[in-house]
Amino acid sequence: MFDTVTGATLDFVILLLRIGVVFFLYFFLYQVVRVLRRELQVAGTSNTISARSVSTNQYGKLIVISPGATNLETGYAFELGPINVIGRRPDTDIALNDSFLSSEHALLEWRGDNWWLEDQHSTNGTFINDIEVRDATPVTYGDIVRVGRVELKLAR
């Protein structure tokens, strides 16, 4: 009788150990996937930021002052080219994921020696230093451009 009880107890302990090992294996895999996912998201964002921040540009950049509902961080810099379309569509030059933006919200263009900002018939308007832009309007370095709920500062 002693062997039967000891054998059953030993089988039960081994079963619990097996279940524990399987549980910890799945828990470990879950943690690995969670950490990898978070690191890939951070790496994707930081690589984009560092690559854009390191390069110098003759036209300047738009720096995020207030990100609104986007996932951008304050201080994120968009490098500018001679013609820049600002909008919600992912393939625009300055893509901002804000529901208050039109797909092609505004156009920022270098003409001669000045920047010009023009609203592209957006629903919520485009503003320079809290003044609404209706026609092509000159913009100078240091001005704050607001599109939707996002505020961007024009900088060298």
Side-chain angles (χ1 to χ4, degrees):
M1 171 135 173
F2 183 74
D3 285 335
T4 309
V5 173
T6 306
T9 305
L10 185 60
D11 287 342
F12 181 72
V13 169
I14 291 174
L15 176 65
L16 286 178
L17 287 173
R18 286 180 177 173
I19 291 172
V21 167
V22 169
F23 170 79
F24 283 113
L25 177 65
Y26 279 110
F27 181 74
F28 175 77
L29 290 174
Y30 166 76
Q31 291 296 332
V32 168
V33 168
R34 196 182 89 183
V35 168
L36 284 174
R37 184 172 166 238
R38 184 177 57 218
E39 291 297 321
L40 287 173
Q41 287 175 340
V42 170
T45 304
S46 65
N47 285 344
T48 305
I49 291 171
S50 63
R52 289 179 182 247
S53 299
V54 169
S55 68
T56 56
N57 186 325
Q58 69 177 4
Y59 297 106
K61 55 193 165 197
L62 280 176
I63 301 172
V64 176
I65 300 297
S66 175
T70 66
N71 293 330
L72 297 173
E73 293 181 17
T74 301
Y76 182 84
F78 290 98
E79 295 291 330
L80 297 175
I83 299 173
N84 306 277
V85 177
I86 303 170
R88 188 178 67 232
R89 215 175 60 219
D91 63 339
T92 57
D93 300 309
I94 300 172
L96 303 168
N97 187 16
D98 185 346
S99 60
F100 277 67
L101 262 70
S102 299
S103 57
E104 288 186 6
H105 195 92
L107 178 68
L108 182 63
E109 186 176 13
W110 182 256
R111 296 183 194 162
D113 292 333
N114 296 318
W115 281 108
W116 291 81
L117 182 68
E118 187 174 355
D119 185 73
Q120 298 295 293
H121 308 291
S122 65
T123 305
N124 294 315
T126 302
F127 299 83
I128 300 174
N129 300 325
D130 290 326
I131 299 171
E132 188 169 8
V133 171
R134 296 190 187 277
D135 299 319
T137 305
V139 186
T140 58
Y141 292 105
D143 284 346
I144 305 295
V145 174
R146 184 172 44 129
V147 289
R149 295 175 282 193
V150 180
E151 290 184 349
L152 306 159
K153 181 178 181 178
L154 182 62
R156 290 191 190 270

